[in-house]
Amino acid sequence: MTALMTKPKLRWACRRGMLELDVLLAPFVEHGYDALTEPEKHIFERLLACDDPDLFAWFMGHAQSPDPQLQALVQVILNRVRV
């Protein structure tokens, strides 16, 4: 596996073009990311590489990611926000 991004790089990668994504991703990096396993952290980096319209659709429940790992992480992030 490749090396994980540093926290500053993750924070930068969470800055998206959509406020709806910013308010989900940035707090997750600060308060939820460290609890992920190393494989889940790699999946999170893959999630950040996705296009904003896809992320928006997945997080807003308009669509599901075709990748079950990405969809599971979307749900983890949404569950954390709802708590």
Side-chain angles (χ1 to χ4, degrees):
M1 285 192 167
T2 61
L4 291 167
M5 283 187 205
T6 62
K7 269 285 189 80
K9 286 186 179 190
L10 285 170
R11 286 184 195 105
W12 181 257
C14 286
R15 295 177 53 145
R16 311 305 286 211
M18 296 181 178
L19 178 63
E20 296 87 349
L21 297 178
D22 291 347
V23 299
L24 289 169
L25 296 174
F28 182 77
V29 166
E30 294 304 323
H31 305 291
Y33 176 80
D34 291 334
L36 296 177
T37 64
E38 188 165 333
E40 289 170 329
K41 289 177 180 179
H42 285 282
I43 295 167
F44 184 71
E45 288 186 12
R46 286 197 303 117
L47 185 72
L48 293 179
C50 295
D51 293 331
D52 284 357
D54 291 332
L55 291 173
F56 181 82
W58 301 340
F59 280 110
M60 297 303 125
H62 301 298
Q64 288 197 344
S65 171
D67 182 323
Q69 290 180 322
L70 293 179
Q71 186 59 42
L73 192 54
V74 164
Q75 197 58 53
V76 165
I77 295 168
L78 287 173
N79 288 343
R80 179 149 182 92
V81 170
R82 290 186 189 131
V83 172

